[in-house]
Amino acid sequence: MEGISDQYFSLSISGDREKLQKWDAFYHYDGRFYPGESGGMLHSLSEAYLQRNIGRSSISIGRKIVDWNPHEPFWGLAVLNANRGFSYMDYEREGLAGLHFQRRMGGFNFHLFGSVVHIPQINPTFRIRDQKVESINEWSALPFREVAYNGNKIPINYTLDEPDIAGIVLNQSAGAQIGYDWKTGGVKAYGTYKPENLIRINATGYYDPNTEAAEVRARPFANHHVVWGGHVNQEVKSFETAVGFEVDHPRVGSDESFEFEALKIVPVYTKRTYAYGQVEKKLKYAKVGVHFVELVDGKNTDANAFSSKAMWTRAGGLSVDWSMTAKLNYLFMGKYDFALGDSLVRNQLSYQFGRHVSAKAGFEMVRSEDPKSFWLPFKTNDSVYTGLGYLF
């Protein structure tokens, strides 16, 4: 992308079980700064909560990742938890803010969740400057810059209507998971009603003969969806297997205060159903996983500038986490969509020099050609990266 820097600086801050009287504090923050004229700072607060354990029960207050779908970390579909969004290749997650209650009773386990506060996913983000849409990093899929009008291509000038912050943040959520575990496996079911992680956008506009451009005004708003699913996991000899499904059913929301003009662009609401499967094998110094996902319902069809596309249609994947030595580690992630031909590959080597200093190097590749693909705007995002870390 023009003007986007290929350099960035990152910072991570985390705490695990820091004592605050009778409560334990957990938090994890990531920041990424892109220098340059079009650069800026990306922020992500993955988790920040207080937890108190009382016998077989625990109460948590704050933003916490809910691990209800074991396939979510690999495929990164961000239906339950949000994605960090710095890059669609890393799939770091952001939790749900609210009150969490968990309890175990024999083989049964329960997780109840409720909230009146919603923290939407904000990355990857873009901004409007001089009526043009700009991105901070290369993972923003920008809306159209031109539109066909009377047989000609004309530019689009965008204006952002600032949304009511209370209308975005003050939204109710409720959800529950119930499970039963036995010695070599378990079964779980869950459901939740909550705001979608990504905000929706209404837009309207008209052709202005004075500027010879399409004048488009857009406003974000929060929309709820219903999510339910379940899975079964079972050890088979030395293999860990899991199969499951998840349904993402958005409600048809609206922003009644938004006034439309001649052109009306509203979100596309698509119910999607996913089926999952995975087999993992733990070796002495490595963990290998084979993964599969199928979009059973809700294929990508005609879409407008502000609609969403499913990441995967029918895809398989391979993951490898290999501790080559006590200090050297190798990570591999590969994914291929058999329906659309998309492929993603990530390789990384990391080395721990001591208690405080670590280094890493790797490369990422994206391949996509199908116009219906989610990954098409990012097909030039191949990268080679190095990193040096210091643990304080």
Side-chain angles (χ1 to χ4, degrees):
M1 288 186 181
E2 182 181 353
I4 299 299
S5 175
D6 58 359
Q7 299 176 338
Y8 63 81
F9 302 91
S10 292
L11 173 67
S12 296
I13 304 173
S14 61
D16 185 11
R17 289 189 177 276
E18 296 190 2
K19 289 292 183 181
L20 293 175
Q21 295 183 358
K22 296 182 179 181
W23 295 78
D24 296 327
F26 300 80
Y27 55 89
H28 184 90
Y29 165 82
D30 293 297
R32 182 173 292 186
F33 175 72
Y34 287 82
E37 181 181 352
S38 298
M41 188 74 180
L42 301 180
H43 303 276
S44 172
L45 187 63
S46 301
E47 291 189 301
Y49 63 93
L50 297 175
Q51 179 170 302
R52 184 174 180 181
N53 299 318
I54 307 173
R56 296 183 178 182
S57 303
S58 69
I59 300 175
S60 304
I61 303 174
R63 190 175 206 184
K64 181 178 182 179
I65 292 174
V66 294
D67 287 318
W68 295 355
N69 183 351
H71 311 275
E72 185 181 65
F74 182 83
W75 293 109
L77 296 177
V79 177
L80 279 174
N81 301 282
N83 280 337
R84 182 176 68 174
F86 291 177
S87 162
Y88 287 123
M89 297 288 282
D90 59 18
Y91 298 144
E92 296 292 336
R93 296 179 292 169
E94 297 176 333
L96 302 181
L99 177 65
H100 301 259
F101 174 77
Q102 294 173 263
R103 180 172 175 81
R104 299 191 66 89
M105 299 175 60
F108 289 94
N109 57 83
F110 306 89
H111 186 165
L112 305 179
F113 163 75
S115 179
V116 294
V117 176
H118 170 55
I119 304 177
Q121 177 180 328
I122 60 174
N123 300 310
T125 187
F126 52 82
R127 63 191 172 204
I128 297 178
R129 179 187 291 175
D130 298 328
Q131 295 191 304
K132 303 301 180 184
V133 180
E134 295 181 347
S135 173
I136 293 178
N137 76 348
E138 70 276 18
W139 291 97
S140 294
L142 301 180
F144 302 129
R145 295 182 176 179
E146 295 181 324
V147 66
Y149 182 77
N150 288 338
N152 298 314
K153 291 277 190 177
I154 61 173
I156 301 176
N157 294 330
Y158 287 95
T159 301
L160 179 67
D161 268 9
E162 293 292 340
D164 179 15
I165 300 301
I168 298 289
V169 176
L170 299 181
N171 279 282
Q172 298 177 349
S173 304
Q177 178 197 250
I178 181 172
Y180 182 79
D181 297 324
W182 53 87
K183 186 176 180 180
T184 58
V187 59
K188 290 181 173 61
Y190 59 88
T192 180
Y193 174 77
K194 67 179 187 65
E196 295 176 299
N197 296 318
L198 291 171
I199 58 176
R200 298 277 186 166
I201 296 178
N202 281 323
T204 187
Y206 59 93
Y207 173 71
D208 188 342
N210 296 320
T211 61
E212 296 185 342
E215 302 293 334
V216 173
R217 179 169 51 87
R219 181 194 290 174
F221 69 97
N223 184 67
H224 280 74
H225 64 159
V226 179
V227 181
W228 71 93
H231 69 273
V232 178
N233 60 285
Q234 177 65 47
E235 291 184 14
V236 181
K237 294 185 178 180
S238 60
F239 295 90
E240 297 180 7
T241 65
V243 294
F245 75 97
E246 186 171 70
V247 180
D248 178 11
H249 193 175
R251 307 289 89 182
V252 179
S254 63
D255 182 357
E256 296 180 358
S257 64
F258 186 74
E259 297 182 359
F260 289 96
E261 299 177 68
L263 174 66
K264 184 177 182 179
I265 304 175
V266 296
V268 177
Y269 300 93
T270 304
K271 177 185 176 182
R272 294 192 173 108
T273 302
Y274 300 94
Y276 301 95
Q278 69 181 31
V279 178
E280 293 183 330
K281 170 73 171 179
K282 288 185 178 180
L283 304 172
K284 187 175 182 180
Y285 299 110
K287 183 178 182 180
V288 180
V290 177
H291 311 262
F292 180 78
V293 63
E294 170 87 15
L295 180 61
V296 180
D297 182 36
K299 301 291 192 298
N300 294 332
T301 55
D302 294 335
N304 63 38
F306 300 110
S307 62
S308 63
K309 294 182 178 180
M311 283 187 175
W312 304 103
T313 301
R314 181 182 300 114
L318 175 67
S319 61
V320 178
D321 186 348
W322 179 19
S323 297
M324 304 174 69
T325 69
K327 296 183 177 182
L328 183 64
N329 184 260
Y330 171 69
L331 291 175
F332 171 83
M333 178 195 71
K335 304 175 185 180
Y336 181 77
D337 194 313
F338 302 100
L340 300 179
D342 301 330
S343 62
L344 276 67
V345 174
R346 185 185 188 192
N347 285 272
Q348 178 179 292
L349 277 173
S350 59
Y351 189 82
Q352 190 74 33
F353 289 96
R355 291 185 59 188
H356 301 285
V357 180
S358 63
K360 64 181 180 181
F363 68 88
E364 300 173 341
M365 295 190 303
V366 181
R367 292 290 177 268
S368 180
E369 299 296 337
D370 197 302
K372 298 190 295 294
S373 170
F374 169 90
W375 298 100
L376 186 64
F378 314 115
K379 67 178 184 178
T380 60
N381 283 13
D382 298 351
S383 63
V384 176
Y385 63 90
T386 59
L388 180 67
Y390 187 86
L391 179 63
F392 294 92

